[in-house]
Amino acid sequence: MKKLGIALILLVVLSIAGTHFLENWLSQRIPEILNEQKDRDYDLIFEEINIHLLQRKVDLHAIRLVPLNDSVNTKVNGSFRDISMSGLDLLKIIVERKLEINELKIVEPSLRLIQKNKKGNAQESSMAFQLLFQDIISRGEIKDVILVNGTAEFFTDLDSLVRIGQFTDLNLNIHGLKTDSALIKEDIPFRLESLEANLKNIEYAVNSNQQLKVEELNYNSQEKEMTFKGIGFTYKKGILAALKQSEHQMDLIEFGVKEFKLIHIDTQSSIYGDLSLIAGLATIDSLELIDLRDKNKPRPSEPVKPMFEGIIEKIPFPLRLDTIRIQNSKISYQEIGEGNTQPADLSFENVSAELYNVLTTDSLQQGKTMTLNSRAKLRGHADVEMDIQVPYGNDVFQLEATISGFNLPAINELFAKMGKFRVDSGILLGLRLTMDAQKYSSRNTLAFDYRELKLEMIPDDDSKKGLNTLINSAANLFTSKENIPNSTNYKTARYSTSRNVYRGPFNLIWESSKEGLMEIVPVGIARTFIGGRKK
Protein backbone atom coordinates (compact mmCIF):
# COMPACT_ATOMS: atom_id res chain seq x y z
CA MET A 1 0.00 0.00 0.00
CA LYS A 2 2.88 2.27 0.82
CA LYS A 3 4.39 1.73 -2.61
CA LEU A 4 1.02 2.31 -4.27
CA GLY A 5 0.61 5.59 -2.41
CA ILE A 6 4.08 6.70 -3.43
CA ALA A 7 3.32 5.74 -7.03
CA LEU A 8 0.10 7.74 -6.98
CA ILE A 9 1.90 10.74 -5.53
CA LEU A 10 4.58 10.46 -8.20
CA LEU A 11 1.90 10.16 -10.87
CA VAL A 12 0.16 13.26 -9.59
CA VAL A 13 3.44 15.15 -9.40
CA LEU A 14 4.41 14.04 -12.89
CA SER A 15 0.94 14.97 -14.21
CA ILE A 16 1.17 18.40 -12.66
CA ALA A 17 4.71 18.83 -13.92
CA GLY A 18 3.76 17.52 -17.34
CA THR A 19 0.74 19.78 -17.50
CA HIS A 20 2.83 22.75 -16.44
CA PHE A 21 5.50 21.84 -19.00
CA LEU A 22 2.91 21.36 -21.77
CA GLU A 23 1.20 24.66 -20.94
CA ASN A 24 4.53 26.47 -21.06
CA TRP A 25 5.41 24.74 -24.31
CA LEU A 26 2.03 25.66 -25.85
CA SER A 27 2.51 29.23 -24.64
CA GLN A 28 5.55 29.37 -26.89
CA ARG A 29 4.21 27.27 -29.77
CA ILE A 30 0.81 28.98 -30.30
CA PRO A 31 2.24 32.49 -30.85
CA GLU A 32 4.64 31.00 -33.41
CA ILE A 33 1.81 29.24 -35.25
CA LEU A 34 -0.37 32.38 -35.21
CA ASN A 35 2.30 34.50 -36.87
CA GLU A 36 4.21 32.05 -39.05
CA GLN A 37 2.35 32.35 -42.39
CA LYS A 38 4.67 34.00 -44.89
CA ASP A 39 1.90 35.75 -46.84
CA ARG A 40 0.13 37.23 -43.78
CA ASP A 41 -0.59 40.96 -43.73
CA TYR A 42 -0.81 41.35 -39.95
CA ASP A 43 0.90 40.19 -36.77
CA LEU A 44 -1.10 39.46 -33.63
CA ILE A 45 0.99 40.56 -30.64
CA PHE A 46 -0.46 39.90 -27.17
CA GLU A 47 0.59 40.62 -23.61
CA GLU A 48 -0.81 37.53 -21.88
CA ILE A 49 -1.74 33.95 -22.79
CA ASN A 50 -3.66 31.49 -20.61
CA ILE A 51 -3.75 27.77 -21.44
CA HIS A 52 -6.62 25.63 -20.11
CA LEU A 53 -5.67 22.07 -21.06
CA LEU A 54 -8.67 20.32 -19.53
CA GLN A 55 -11.06 22.68 -21.29
CA ARG A 56 -8.99 22.60 -24.51
CA LYS A 57 -9.10 26.38 -24.50
CA VAL A 58 -6.60 29.22 -24.98
CA ASP A 59 -7.24 32.84 -23.98
CA LEU A 60 -5.19 35.74 -25.34
CA HIS A 61 -5.40 39.14 -23.64
CA ALA A 62 -4.48 42.70 -24.69
CA ILE A 63 -3.80 41.90 -28.35
CA ARG A 64 -2.32 44.42 -30.76
CA LEU A 65 -2.95 44.22 -34.50
CA VAL A 66 0.20 45.23 -36.38
CA PRO A 67 0.03 45.70 -40.20
CA LEU A 68 3.06 44.38 -42.08
CA ASN A 69 2.49 45.69 -45.61
CA ASP A 70 3.16 49.44 -45.88
CA SER A 71 2.64 49.48 -49.65
CA VAL A 72 -1.14 48.93 -49.56
CA ASN A 73 -3.42 51.93 -50.04
CA THR A 74 -5.71 50.98 -47.15
CA LYS A 75 -4.53 49.34 -43.94
CA VAL A 76 -6.01 48.56 -40.55
CA ASN A 77 -4.44 48.64 -37.11
CA GLY A 78 -5.88 48.45 -33.63
CA SER A 79 -6.36 46.14 -30.70
CA PHE A 80 -8.56 43.36 -29.27
CA ARG A 81 -9.34 43.07 -25.58
CA ASP A 82 -9.49 39.25 -25.69
CA ILE A 83 -9.35 36.36 -28.15
CA SER A 84 -10.58 32.96 -26.97
CA MET A 85 -9.95 29.74 -28.90
CA SER A 86 -12.20 26.90 -27.64
CA GLY A 87 -12.26 23.22 -28.59
CA LEU A 88 -8.60 23.11 -29.64
CA ASP A 89 -7.20 19.90 -31.10
CA LEU A 90 -4.03 19.72 -28.99
CA LEU A 91 -2.60 16.77 -30.90
CA LYS A 92 -2.67 18.73 -34.18
CA ILE A 93 -0.86 21.62 -32.51
CA ILE A 94 1.82 19.31 -31.16
CA VAL A 95 2.29 17.07 -34.21
CA GLU A 96 1.24 19.21 -37.22
CA ARG A 97 1.76 22.75 -35.91
CA LYS A 98 -1.81 23.44 -36.99
CA LEU A 99 -4.69 25.22 -35.23
CA GLU A 100 -8.05 23.48 -35.39
CA ILE A 101 -10.65 25.44 -33.38
CA ASN A 102 -14.32 24.81 -32.67
CA GLU A 103 -14.99 28.44 -31.72
CA LEU A 104 -12.99 31.64 -32.13
CA LYS A 105 -14.31 34.50 -29.99
CA ILE A 106 -12.98 38.04 -30.49
CA VAL A 107 -13.97 40.48 -27.75
CA GLU A 108 -14.07 44.28 -28.17
CA PRO A 109 -11.93 44.81 -31.25
CA SER A 110 -11.07 48.49 -31.66
CA LEU A 111 -9.88 49.14 -35.20
CA ARG A 112 -8.47 52.08 -37.10
CA LEU A 113 -8.58 52.14 -40.88
CA ILE A 114 -6.31 54.54 -42.78
CA GLN A 115 -6.64 55.29 -46.51
CA LYS A 116 -3.64 56.84 -48.21
CA ASN A 117 -5.54 57.62 -51.40
CA LYS A 118 -7.70 60.77 -51.42
CA LYS A 119 -10.18 58.92 -53.63
CA GLY A 120 -10.69 56.08 -51.14
CA ASN A 121 -14.33 55.10 -50.71
CA ALA A 122 -16.64 53.07 -48.49
CA GLN A 123 -16.35 50.01 -50.75
CA GLU A 124 -12.56 50.07 -50.41
CA SER A 125 -12.94 50.33 -46.63
CA SER A 126 -15.29 47.34 -46.61
CA MET A 127 -12.78 45.36 -48.65
CA ALA A 128 -10.00 46.20 -46.20
CA PHE A 129 -12.02 44.82 -43.27
CA GLN A 130 -12.87 41.68 -45.25
CA LEU A 131 -9.18 41.08 -46.00
CA LEU A 132 -8.34 41.57 -42.32
CA PHE A 133 -10.98 39.02 -41.32
CA GLN A 134 -9.70 36.60 -43.95
CA ASP A 135 -6.13 37.10 -42.72
CA ILE A 136 -7.13 36.22 -39.13
CA ILE A 137 -9.24 33.13 -39.83
CA SER A 138 -6.76 31.72 -42.35
CA ARG A 139 -4.37 30.95 -39.46
CA GLY A 140 -6.30 27.80 -38.63
CA GLU A 141 -9.37 25.71 -39.37
CA ILE A 142 -12.26 27.34 -37.51
CA LYS A 143 -15.87 26.16 -37.29
CA ASP A 144 -17.57 29.08 -35.54
CA VAL A 145 -16.62 32.74 -35.07
CA ILE A 146 -18.12 35.17 -32.56
CA LEU A 147 -17.19 38.85 -32.53
CA VAL A 148 -18.47 41.04 -29.69
CA ASN A 149 -18.78 44.84 -29.44
CA GLY A 150 -16.42 45.89 -32.21
CA THR A 151 -15.72 49.53 -33.09
CA ALA A 152 -13.84 51.20 -35.91
CA GLU A 153 -12.78 54.63 -37.13
CA PHE A 154 -11.87 55.59 -40.71
CA PHE A 155 -9.18 58.12 -41.62
CA THR A 156 -7.70 59.59 -44.78
CA ASP A 157 -3.96 60.23 -44.66
CA LEU A 158 -3.43 63.62 -46.29
CA ASP A 159 -0.89 66.02 -44.75
CA SER A 160 -2.38 64.77 -41.48
CA LEU A 161 -5.00 62.20 -40.55
CA VAL A 162 -8.55 63.34 -41.32
CA ARG A 163 -11.38 61.39 -39.71
CA ILE A 164 -13.99 60.39 -42.32
CA GLY A 165 -16.14 57.79 -40.58
CA GLN A 166 -16.86 55.24 -37.90
CA PHE A 167 -19.09 52.43 -36.69
CA THR A 168 -19.78 50.95 -33.25
CA ASP A 169 -21.43 47.87 -31.69
CA LEU A 170 -20.29 45.39 -34.34
CA ASN A 171 -21.43 41.88 -33.45
CA LEU A 172 -20.93 38.81 -35.64
CA ASN A 173 -22.11 35.25 -35.18
CA ILE A 174 -20.79 32.85 -37.83
CA HIS A 175 -21.53 29.11 -37.86
CA GLY A 176 -20.13 26.36 -40.05
CA LEU A 177 -17.26 28.40 -41.47
CA LYS A 178 -15.04 26.63 -44.00
CA THR A 179 -11.86 28.61 -44.38
CA ASP A 180 -10.49 26.41 -47.13
CA SER A 181 -13.12 27.98 -49.41
CA ALA A 182 -12.33 31.57 -48.45
CA LEU A 183 -12.08 32.82 -52.01
CA ILE A 184 -15.48 31.54 -53.15
CA LYS A 185 -17.62 34.54 -54.12
CA GLU A 186 -20.95 34.45 -52.34
CA ASP A 187 -22.93 37.01 -50.34
CA ILE A 188 -19.77 37.12 -48.22
CA PRO A 189 -16.51 35.67 -49.55
CA PHE A 190 -16.45 32.55 -47.34
CA ARG A 191 -18.45 29.36 -47.37
CA LEU A 192 -20.51 29.08 -44.21
CA GLU A 193 -23.74 27.74 -42.84
CA SER A 194 -25.06 30.98 -41.34
CA LEU A 195 -24.07 34.54 -40.52
CA GLU A 196 -25.79 37.06 -38.30
CA ALA A 197 -24.28 40.54 -38.20
CA ASN A 198 -25.31 43.86 -36.73
CA LEU A 199 -23.60 47.18 -36.18
CA LYS A 200 -24.66 50.68 -35.19
CA ASN A 201 -23.80 54.36 -35.56
CA ILE A 202 -22.31 54.14 -39.03
CA GLU A 203 -20.97 57.46 -40.30
CA TYR A 204 -19.11 58.23 -43.52
CA ALA A 205 -18.03 61.55 -45.01
CA VAL A 206 -19.02 61.36 -48.68
CA ASN A 207 -17.04 64.56 -49.30
CA SER A 208 -16.15 67.72 -47.39
CA ASN A 209 -19.80 68.88 -47.42
CA GLN A 210 -21.96 65.74 -47.36
CA GLN A 211 -22.24 62.86 -44.92
CA LEU A 212 -24.02 59.53 -44.76
CA LYS A 213 -25.28 58.10 -41.46
CA VAL A 214 -26.95 54.79 -40.63
CA GLU A 215 -28.24 54.17 -37.11
CA GLU A 216 -28.24 50.38 -37.39
CA LEU A 217 -27.51 47.61 -39.90
CA ASN A 218 -28.60 43.97 -39.52
CA TYR A 219 -27.91 40.98 -41.76
CA ASN A 220 -29.14 37.38 -41.52
CA SER A 221 -27.86 34.95 -44.13
CA GLN A 222 -30.40 32.22 -43.40
CA GLU A 223 -33.32 34.59 -43.80
CA LYS A 224 -31.49 36.27 -46.73
CA GLU A 225 -32.35 39.72 -45.39
CA MET A 226 -30.43 42.91 -44.72
CA THR A 227 -31.98 45.88 -42.91
CA PHE A 228 -30.73 49.46 -42.63
CA LYS A 229 -32.40 51.70 -40.03
CA GLY A 230 -32.19 55.46 -39.65
CA ILE A 231 -30.44 56.37 -42.91
CA GLY A 232 -29.54 60.04 -43.39
CA PHE A 233 -27.80 61.63 -46.39
CA THR A 234 -27.30 65.27 -45.45
CA TYR A 235 -25.17 68.38 -45.79
CA LYS A 236 -23.06 68.95 -42.69
CA LYS A 237 -24.20 72.57 -42.31
CA GLY A 238 -27.69 72.04 -43.72
CA ILE A 239 -29.02 72.15 -47.27
CA LEU A 240 -29.85 75.89 -47.20
CA ALA A 241 -26.31 76.76 -46.09
CA ALA A 242 -24.94 74.52 -48.86
CA LEU A 243 -27.18 76.29 -51.37
CA LYS A 244 -25.86 79.70 -50.32
CA GLN A 245 -22.27 78.51 -50.70
CA SER A 246 -22.81 77.00 -54.16
CA GLU A 247 -21.68 79.19 -57.04
CA HIS A 248 -23.92 77.67 -59.69
CA GLN A 249 -27.48 76.51 -60.16
CA MET A 250 -27.78 72.83 -59.39
CA ASP A 251 -30.00 70.34 -57.61
CA LEU A 252 -29.00 69.77 -54.00
CA ILE A 253 -30.50 66.64 -52.47
CA GLU A 254 -30.93 65.48 -48.89
CA PHE A 255 -32.86 62.44 -47.76
CA GLY A 256 -33.67 60.32 -44.75
CA VAL A 257 -35.12 56.81 -44.55
CA LYS A 258 -36.63 55.19 -41.47
CA GLU A 259 -35.96 51.67 -42.76
CA PHE A 260 -34.51 50.14 -45.93
CA LYS A 261 -34.74 46.35 -46.22
CA LEU A 262 -33.41 43.90 -48.80
CA ILE A 263 -35.30 40.58 -48.93
CA HIS A 264 -34.45 37.35 -50.75
CA ILE A 265 -30.84 38.34 -51.30
CA ASP A 266 -29.24 36.07 -53.89
CA THR A 267 -25.97 34.31 -53.02
CA GLN A 268 -24.38 35.87 -56.13
CA SER A 269 -24.52 39.24 -54.38
CA SER A 270 -21.29 40.61 -52.95
CA ILE A 271 -20.52 43.61 -50.76
CA TYR A 272 -16.78 43.08 -51.14
CA GLY A 273 -14.44 43.68 -54.06
CA ASP A 274 -16.58 43.67 -57.20
CA LEU A 275 -19.79 44.95 -55.63
CA SER A 276 -23.03 43.38 -56.89
CA LEU A 277 -26.56 43.24 -55.53
CA ILE A 278 -29.26 40.78 -56.53
CA ALA A 279 -32.45 40.58 -54.49
CA GLY A 280 -36.12 39.83 -54.90
CA LEU A 281 -37.53 42.78 -52.96
CA ALA A 282 -36.33 46.09 -51.52
CA THR A 283 -38.66 48.00 -49.19
CA ILE A 284 -38.26 51.67 -48.29
CA ASP A 285 -40.27 52.94 -45.33
CA SER A 286 -40.68 56.66 -44.54
CA LEU A 287 -38.41 58.22 -47.14
CA GLU A 288 -38.20 62.02 -46.85
CA LEU A 289 -36.40 63.56 -49.82
CA ILE A 290 -35.71 67.23 -50.58
CA ASP A 291 -34.49 68.46 -53.98
CA LEU A 292 -33.56 72.17 -53.79
CA ARG A 293 -32.57 74.48 -56.67
CA ASP A 294 -31.94 78.24 -56.85
CA LYS A 295 -32.77 79.60 -60.31
CA ASN A 296 -31.15 82.96 -59.47
CA LYS A 297 -27.68 81.44 -59.73
CA PRO A 298 -25.88 81.07 -63.07
CA ARG A 299 -25.98 77.71 -64.75
CA PRO A 300 -22.71 75.75 -64.76
CA SER A 301 -21.26 73.94 -67.73
CA GLU A 302 -23.34 70.82 -67.18
CA PRO A 303 -23.16 67.38 -68.79
CA VAL A 304 -26.19 66.04 -70.61
CA LYS A 305 -28.49 64.39 -68.07
CA PRO A 306 -29.75 60.87 -68.79
CA MET A 307 -33.37 59.71 -68.92
CA PHE A 308 -34.67 56.99 -66.58
CA GLU A 309 -32.81 54.13 -68.27
CA GLY A 310 -29.59 56.13 -68.28
CA ILE A 311 -29.95 56.86 -64.55
CA ILE A 312 -30.20 53.12 -63.82
CA GLU A 313 -27.27 52.30 -66.08
CA LYS A 314 -25.07 54.83 -64.26
CA ILE A 315 -25.23 52.70 -61.09
CA PRO A 316 -21.59 51.57 -60.96
CA PHE A 317 -22.18 47.91 -60.04
CA PRO A 318 -24.38 45.02 -61.20
CA LEU A 319 -27.86 45.47 -59.75
CA ARG A 320 -30.97 43.33 -60.13
CA LEU A 321 -34.00 44.08 -57.99
CA ASP A 322 -37.27 42.43 -58.94
CA THR A 323 -39.34 44.92 -56.91
CA ILE A 324 -38.74 48.13 -54.95
CA ARG A 325 -41.64 49.07 -52.66
CA ILE A 326 -41.91 52.55 -51.12
CA GLN A 327 -44.39 53.54 -48.40
CA ASN A 328 -45.19 56.36 -45.93
CA SER A 329 -42.90 58.76 -47.79
CA LYS A 330 -42.62 62.42 -48.75
CA ILE A 331 -40.86 63.93 -51.77
CA SER A 332 -40.36 67.68 -51.98
CA TYR A 333 -39.08 69.68 -54.96
CA GLN A 334 -38.17 73.16 -53.76
CA GLU A 335 -37.27 75.90 -56.22
CA ILE A 336 -36.24 79.50 -55.59
CA GLY A 337 -37.60 81.27 -58.63
CA GLU A 338 -35.90 84.18 -60.38
CA GLY A 339 -36.23 87.31 -58.25
CA ASN A 340 -37.34 85.35 -55.16
CA THR A 341 -35.45 84.58 -51.97
CA GLN A 342 -37.69 81.86 -50.53
CA PRO A 343 -38.32 78.50 -52.20
CA ALA A 344 -41.62 77.29 -53.56
CA ASP A 345 -42.37 73.80 -52.32
CA LEU A 346 -43.92 71.28 -54.71
CA SER A 347 -44.36 68.45 -52.21
CA PHE A 348 -45.93 65.02 -52.47
CA GLU A 349 -46.99 63.39 -49.22
CA ASN A 350 -48.18 59.88 -48.34
CA VAL A 351 -46.10 58.58 -51.24
CA SER A 352 -46.36 54.88 -52.00
CA ALA A 353 -44.88 53.22 -55.06
CA GLU A 354 -43.80 49.96 -56.64
CA LEU A 355 -40.86 49.84 -59.05
CA TYR A 356 -40.34 46.62 -61.02
CA ASN A 357 -37.34 45.24 -62.96
CA VAL A 358 -34.52 47.51 -61.82
CA LEU A 359 -31.67 46.05 -63.88
CA THR A 360 -28.22 47.41 -64.73
CA THR A 361 -26.82 44.51 -66.75
CA ASP A 362 -27.46 44.64 -70.52
CA SER A 363 -28.05 40.89 -70.81
CA LEU A 364 -30.77 41.08 -68.16
CA GLN A 365 -32.40 44.19 -69.67
CA GLN A 366 -33.11 42.64 -73.07
CA GLY A 367 -36.82 42.53 -73.74
CA LYS A 368 -37.65 43.86 -70.24
CA THR A 369 -39.50 46.99 -69.14
CA MET A 370 -38.95 48.89 -65.91
CA THR A 371 -42.30 49.94 -64.45
CA LEU A 372 -43.20 52.53 -61.80
CA ASN A 373 -46.66 52.71 -60.21
CA SER A 374 -46.99 55.50 -57.63
CA ARG A 375 -49.63 57.25 -55.55
CA ALA A 376 -49.35 60.40 -53.41
CA LYS A 377 -51.08 63.53 -52.05
CA LEU A 378 -50.19 66.85 -53.70
CA ARG A 379 -49.42 69.15 -50.75
CA GLY A 380 -51.95 67.18 -48.75
CA HIS A 381 -54.91 68.28 -50.93
CA ALA A 382 -55.25 66.07 -54.02
CA ASP A 383 -54.68 62.41 -54.90
CA VAL A 384 -51.97 61.94 -57.51
CA GLU A 385 -51.33 58.73 -59.43
CA MET A 386 -48.48 58.22 -61.88
CA ASP A 387 -47.51 55.18 -63.95
CA ILE A 388 -44.27 55.13 -65.94
CA GLN A 389 -43.08 52.47 -68.40
CA VAL A 390 -39.37 52.40 -69.35
CA PRO A 391 -38.62 49.81 -72.06
CA TYR A 392 -34.92 48.99 -71.91
CA GLY A 393 -32.78 49.66 -74.95
CA ASN A 394 -34.21 52.91 -76.37
CA ASP A 395 -33.85 55.54 -73.59
CA VAL A 396 -37.55 56.49 -73.80
CA PHE A 397 -40.50 56.33 -71.43
CA GLN A 398 -44.31 56.50 -71.43
CA LEU A 399 -46.25 58.16 -68.64
CA GLU A 400 -49.85 58.40 -67.47
CA ALA A 401 -50.67 60.69 -64.53
CA THR A 402 -53.88 61.89 -62.89
CA ILE A 403 -54.73 64.43 -60.19
CA SER A 404 -58.09 64.33 -58.39
CA GLY A 405 -60.29 67.33 -57.70
CA PHE A 406 -59.62 70.00 -55.04
CA ASN A 407 -59.98 73.77 -54.43
CA LEU A 408 -57.18 75.48 -56.34
CA PRO A 409 -56.68 78.40 -53.89
CA ALA A 410 -55.37 75.82 -51.38
CA ILE A 411 -52.01 75.82 -53.19
CA ASN A 412 -51.75 79.56 -53.89
CA GLU A 413 -48.37 79.69 -52.15
CA LEU A 414 -47.02 77.43 -54.89
CA PHE A 415 -48.68 79.42 -57.70
CA ALA A 416 -47.37 82.72 -56.30
CA LYS A 417 -43.75 81.65 -56.07
CA MET A 418 -43.53 79.56 -59.24
CA GLY A 419 -46.04 81.24 -61.54
CA LYS A 420 -46.33 84.88 -60.38
CA PHE A 421 -50.11 84.57 -60.03
CA ARG A 422 -52.68 83.40 -57.51
CA VAL A 423 -56.12 81.83 -57.88
CA ASP A 424 -58.92 83.90 -56.33
CA SER A 425 -61.36 81.07 -56.94
CA GLY A 426 -61.41 77.82 -58.84
CA ILE A 427 -62.15 74.13 -58.42
CA LEU A 428 -60.08 71.45 -60.13
CA LEU A 429 -62.34 68.63 -61.27
CA GLY A 430 -59.49 66.47 -62.51
CA LEU A 431 -56.24 66.48 -64.50
CA ARG A 432 -54.96 63.72 -66.81
CA LEU A 433 -51.56 63.77 -68.52
CA THR A 434 -50.08 61.25 -70.95
CA MET A 435 -46.55 61.51 -72.31
CA ASP A 436 -44.56 59.63 -74.92
CA ALA A 437 -41.04 60.85 -74.15
CA GLN A 438 -38.05 60.52 -76.45
CA LYS A 439 -34.47 61.63 -75.90
CA TYR A 440 -35.02 65.26 -76.95
CA SER A 441 -38.78 65.84 -76.73
CA SER A 442 -42.12 64.42 -75.70
CA ARG A 443 -45.56 64.18 -77.29
CA ASN A 444 -48.22 64.97 -74.72
CA THR A 445 -51.94 65.02 -74.15
CA LEU A 446 -53.42 66.89 -71.19
CA ALA A 447 -56.97 67.21 -69.95
CA PHE A 448 -57.54 69.90 -67.30
CA ASP A 449 -61.13 70.07 -66.04
CA TYR A 450 -62.10 72.99 -63.81
CA ARG A 451 -64.80 75.56 -63.03
CA GLU A 452 -65.24 79.02 -61.39
CA LEU A 453 -61.65 80.02 -62.24
CA LYS A 454 -60.51 83.57 -61.46
CA LEU A 455 -56.85 84.57 -61.53
CA GLU A 456 -54.87 87.43 -60.01
CA MET A 457 -51.46 88.44 -61.34
CA ILE A 458 -48.76 89.30 -58.77
CA PRO A 459 -46.78 92.47 -59.63
CA ASP A 460 -43.00 92.48 -59.48
CA ASP A 461 -43.11 96.15 -58.53
CA ASP A 462 -45.66 97.64 -56.09
CA SER A 463 -45.43 100.97 -57.93
CA LYS A 464 -47.21 99.36 -60.89
CA LYS A 465 -50.38 98.37 -59.05
CA GLY A 466 -52.56 100.34 -61.48
CA LEU A 467 -51.07 98.56 -64.46
CA ASN A 468 -51.44 95.27 -62.63
CA THR A 469 -55.16 95.89 -62.11
CA LEU A 470 -55.48 96.35 -65.88
CA ILE A 471 -53.50 93.17 -66.48
CA ASN A 472 -55.70 91.21 -64.07
CA SER A 473 -58.83 92.43 -65.83
CA ALA A 474 -57.44 91.51 -69.22
CA ALA A 475 -56.17 88.13 -68.00
CA ASN A 476 -59.55 87.15 -66.58
CA LEU A 477 -61.37 88.53 -69.62
CA PHE A 478 -59.38 86.27 -71.94
CA THR A 479 -59.19 83.28 -69.57
CA SER A 480 -61.80 80.54 -69.73
CA LYS A 481 -63.76 80.40 -66.48
CA GLU A 482 -64.48 76.72 -66.86
CA ASN A 483 -63.46 73.69 -68.86
CA ILE A 484 -65.95 70.89 -68.29
CA PRO A 485 -66.24 67.68 -70.34
CA ASN A 486 -69.15 67.59 -72.83
CA SER A 487 -69.49 71.40 -72.71
CA THR A 488 -69.46 73.41 -75.96
CA ASN A 489 -66.01 74.94 -75.49
CA TYR A 490 -64.31 71.99 -73.77
CA LYS A 491 -60.60 71.78 -74.63
CA THR A 492 -57.82 69.26 -74.26
CA ALA A 493 -54.22 69.99 -75.16
CA ARG A 494 -52.18 67.97 -77.65
CA TYR A 495 -48.69 69.36 -77.96
CA SER A 496 -44.94 68.64 -77.96
CA THR A 497 -42.39 69.73 -75.37
CA SER A 498 -38.70 70.16 -76.10
CA ARG A 499 -36.53 68.55 -73.46
CA ASN A 500 -33.81 70.49 -71.64
CA VAL A 501 -31.08 67.84 -71.90
CA TYR A 502 -29.25 69.38 -68.94
CA ARG A 503 -32.12 68.46 -66.63
CA GLY A 504 -33.46 65.06 -65.66
CA PRO A 505 -36.68 63.30 -66.76
CA PHE A 506 -38.78 64.69 -63.88
CA ASN A 507 -38.04 68.20 -65.14
CA LEU A 508 -39.45 67.16 -68.53
CA ILE A 509 -42.62 65.89 -66.79
CA TRP A 510 -42.94 69.17 -64.88
CA GLU A 511 -42.39 71.37 -67.96
CA SER A 512 -44.79 69.29 -70.04
CA SER A 513 -47.47 69.70 -67.36
CA LYS A 514 -47.03 73.48 -67.25
CA GLU A 515 -47.14 73.83 -71.03
CA GLY A 516 -50.36 71.82 -71.21
CA LEU A 517 -52.00 74.01 -68.57
CA MET A 518 -51.04 77.14 -70.50
CA GLU A 519 -52.61 75.64 -73.62
CA ILE A 520 -55.96 75.22 -71.88
CA VAL A 521 -56.32 78.04 -69.34
CA PRO A 522 -54.78 81.35 -70.45
CA VAL A 523 -55.76 82.37 -73.95
CA GLY A 524 -54.77 85.46 -75.83
CA ILE A 525 -53.22 88.24 -73.75
CA ALA A 526 -53.43 86.19 -70.52
CA ARG A 527 -50.93 83.66 -71.84
CA THR A 528 -48.45 86.47 -72.43
CA PHE A 529 -48.83 87.79 -68.90
CA ILE A 530 -48.70 84.39 -67.16
CA GLY A 531 -45.85 83.07 -69.26
CA GLY A 532 -47.06 80.48 -71.71
CA ARG A 533 -45.25 77.98 -73.88
CA LYS A 534 -41.75 78.72 -74.98
CA LYS A 535 -41.44 78.23 -78.68
Side-chain angles (χ1 to χ4, degrees), residues 115 117-126 204:
Q115 294 177 332
N117 190 337
K118 294 181 180 180
K119 296 182 179 180
N121 53 39
Q123 184 180 340
E124 188 174 316
S125 301
S126 176
Y204 198 83

Side-chain angles (χ1 to χ4, degrees), residues 145-388:
V145 178
I146 297 174
L147 187 149
V148 181
N149 292 334
T151 61
E153 292 182 292
F154 312 146
F155 294 86
T156 298
D157 189 1
L158 303 175
D159 295 333
S160 59
L161 291 182
V162 178
R163 189 175 184 276
I164 59 173
Q166 68 158 40
F167 64 73
T168 68
D169 299 273
L170 171 62
N171 291 278
L172 296 176
N173 204 328
I174 301 172
H175 293 288
L177 180 66
K178 294 183 179 179
T179 56
D180 58 342
S181 303
L183 298 180
I184 293 179
K185 184 178 178 182
E186 296 194 0
D187 52 352
I188 63 168
F190 310 99
R191 188 174 294 281
L192 49 81
E193 292 178 6
S194 67
L195 164 64
E196 293 182 23
N198 56 77
L199 62 157
K200 297 180 179 179
N201 303 315
I202 305 165
E203 298 180 8
Y204 198 83
V206 179
N207 52 47
S208 60
N209 295 318
Q210 293 171 293
Q211 61 187 1
L212 175 66
K213 293 185 178 181
V214 180
E215 292 179 2
E216 185 175 354
L217 184 154
N218 297 290
Y219 174 71
N220 187 309
S221 67
Q222 288 191 321
E223 295 182 2
K224 297 182 179 180
E225 290 186 0
M226 181 179 288
T227 304
F228 301 81
K229 296 183 179 180
I231 302 173
F233 181 81
T234 60
Y235 287 88
K236 295 179 181 178
K237 296 182 180 180
I239 193 169
L240 289 174
L243 185 69
K244 290 179 181 179
Q245 293 176 355
S246 65
E247 296 181 2
H248 298 99
Q249 182 183 149
M250 63 183 64
D251 288 294
L252 303 186
I253 292 176
E254 281 192 334
F255 66 83
V257 176
K258 180 181 178 181
E259 182 179 277
F260 172 61
K261 180 180 286 189
L262 292 165
I263 303 171
H264 307 309
I265 299 173
D266 193 278
T267 56
Q268 298 179 55
S269 300
S270 174
I271 58 173
Y272 304 111
D274 297 328
L275 181 64
S276 63
L277 179 58
I278 303 171
L281 173 65
T283 63
I284 300 173
D285 183 21
S286 302
L287 164 69
E288 291 197 8
L289 183 145
I290 297 174
D291 181 347
L292 178 61
R293 174 177 282 259
D294 187 350
K295 301 194 77 171
N296 294 286
K297 294 181 180 289
R299 288 184 176 274
S301 177
E302 296 179 282
V304 172
K305 296 287 180 66
M307 298 272 268
F308 287 114
E309 181 180 355
I311 292 173
I312 296 298
E313 290 180 342
K314 278 185 172 293
I315 297 173
F317 57 86
L319 174 67
R320 187 180 79 206
L321 293 174
D322 294 339
T323 305
I324 299 176
R325 185 171 296 143
I326 302 172
Q327 61 186 15
N328 305 321
S329 296
K330 179 179 179 180
I331 298 175
S332 176
Y333 174 68
Q334 298 181 11
E335 180 181 285
I336 301 177
E338 294 180 12
N340 291 334
T341 58
Q342 297 299 316
D345 186 357
L346 179 63
S347 61
F348 297 90
E349 302 163 0
N350 302 329
V351 176
S352 61
E354 290 82 36
L355 183 59
Y356 304 100
N357 292 326
V358 182
L359 311 168
T360 60
T361 307
D362 289 342
S363 60
L364 296 174
Q365 291 179 353
Q366 293 177 6
K368 299 287 183 64
T369 296
M370 182 171 65
T371 304
L372 171 67
N373 306 126
S374 62
R375 298 155 298 284
K377 282 277 190 182
L378 173 61
R379 292 178 64 92
H381 296 290
D383 293 323
V384 179
E385 294 187 8
M386 182 168 63
D387 298 326
I388 299 176

Side-chain angles (χ1 to χ4, degrees), residues 107-144:
V107 179
E108 294 185 10
S110 178
L111 304 175
R112 195 185 212 203
L113 180 144
I114 300 174
Q115 294 177 332
K116 294 181 180 179
N117 190 337
K118 294 181 180 180
K119 296 182 179 180
N121 53 39
Q123 184 180 340
E124 188 174 316
S125 301
S126 176
M127 186 65 179
F129 283 119
Q130 179 259 312
L131 292 174
L132 167 62
F133 181 68
Q134 180 177 329
D135 187 82
I136 291 174
I137 67 171
S138 64
R139 300 171 194 229
E141 291 188 7
I142 305 168
K143 293 182 180 178
D144 299 334

